[in-house]
Amino acid sequence: MDIDPLDLTEPDDDSDNHKAIDHERRKSRLNTAVAIAVALLATFIGICKIKDDNIVQGMQQAQASRIDDWALYQARNLRAEIARATVTQLQLQLLSQPAANRSAYQKQIEAYQTLATKEDQKKAQQKAVAEADQQTYDQLNFHDDQFDLSNAALSLAISLLAITSLSQKRWLFGVAMLPTIFGVVMGLAGLFGWNLHPDLLIKPLTERSPAATWQMASQKPLNGRAG
């Protein structure tokens, strides 16, 4: 009995077809998972971006208020110093004045002393307001850092997912989940105000240059009374 060669090749063809179909199914499932992950991450990034923009606006307002309040503090400090200098000058002039004029000098001395005292009180209040503005800025910047880290991590995750779709390497999908988890956690921390802040990552990225440090210092009071 002769053996038909086609009978020998048909099982191999069926096996190859099954392998090809199985490969296509796996490829389709992987691409579907990548597409869903990218869509969800893009939506989450968009939500975080809206919140982050609001935080940045609040930071800008707090920074402007801080600068204005320290400027007003300096103005009140200058008024107090001028008033005290005027008191000293009037006291010296009082020594050489006749008795008839001393009463008028004494009234002026008391008026400038009162003015200096009031300015010192207002200056202390203004300092508290300026420091409160700084605290507000720092709190907002804390959450802005969280959104920055979230955006960076999720952007890296989307890039890895794109490479996964092109290369069809399933293990890359697992690698992409690492920055995804970190980015989502940091984004949720920013959205819900969690006290989660990886300083080891933030400090190298936000360290100011000497010029920037000098600029920040120049906005603060310069004398000892300015705190």
Side-chain angles (χ1 to χ4, degrees), residues 27 61 63 83 87 89 100 104-105 123 130 141 193 211 216 225:
K27 181 178 179 180
Q61 181 61 44
Q63 179 74 345
V87 168
Q89 184 178 4
Y105 271 85
K123 182 179 68 173
N141 187 55
M216 291 293 294
R225 296 185 182 88

Side-chain angles (χ1 to χ4, degrees), residues 54 81 89 147 205 222:
N54 293 333
E81 292 294 337
Q89 184 178 4
F147 284 120
L205 297 176
L222 301 178

Side-chain angles (χ1 to χ4, degrees), residues 37-86:
V38 170
L40 292 176
L41 292 181
T43 302
F44 185 75
I45 290 175
I47 294 173
C48 291
K49 183 67 167 59
I50 295 174
K51 181 66 175 179
D52 190 27
D53 287 344
N54 293 333
I55 287 178
V56 171
Q57 291 177 4
M59 290 172 61
Q60 293 173 346
Q61 181 61 44
Q63 179 74 345
S65 298
R66 186 184 74 90
I67 294 174
D68 291 341
D69 289 332
W70 278 123
L72 184 55
Y73 173 91
Q74 291 283 35
R76 295 195 182 282
N77 183 64
L78 182 60
R79 292 174 188 173
E81 292 294 337
I82 293 175
R84 278 189 285 269
T86 303

Side-chain angles (χ1 to χ4, degrees), residues 73-121:
Y73 173 91
Q74 291 283 35
R76 295 195 182 282
N77 183 64
L78 182 60
R79 292 174 188 173
E81 292 294 337
I82 293 175
R84 278 189 285 269
T86 303
V87 168
T88 301
Q89 184 178 4
L90 291 174
Q91 287 175 340
L92 293 175
Q93 292 177 356
L94 179 63
L95 299 176
S96 60
Q97 296 298 319
N101 296 337
R102 289 185 178 183
S103 177
Y105 271 85
Q106 190 61 41
K107 289 181 180 180
Q108 289 297 316
I109 290 173
E110 293 174 357
Y112 278 104
Q113 286 175 336
T114 301
L115 177 61
T117 301
K118 289 182 178 179
E119 290 299 330
D120 284 337
Q121 294 173 349

Side-chain angles (χ1 to χ4, degrees), residues 137-174:
Y137 179 87
D138 292 339
Q139 291 173 356
L140 293 173
N141 187 55
F142 182 91
H143 296 301
D144 181 61
D145 289 341
Q146 292 173 329
F147 284 120
D148 289 342
L149 286 175
S150 175
N151 184 67
L154 295 182
S155 297
L156 174 60
I158 290 176
S159 298
L160 290 175
L161 289 172
I163 297 174
T164 300
S165 181
L166 292 174
S167 64
Q168 292 298 306
K169 302 294 184 181
R170 298 180 67 87
W171 60 270
L172 272 177
F173 188 87

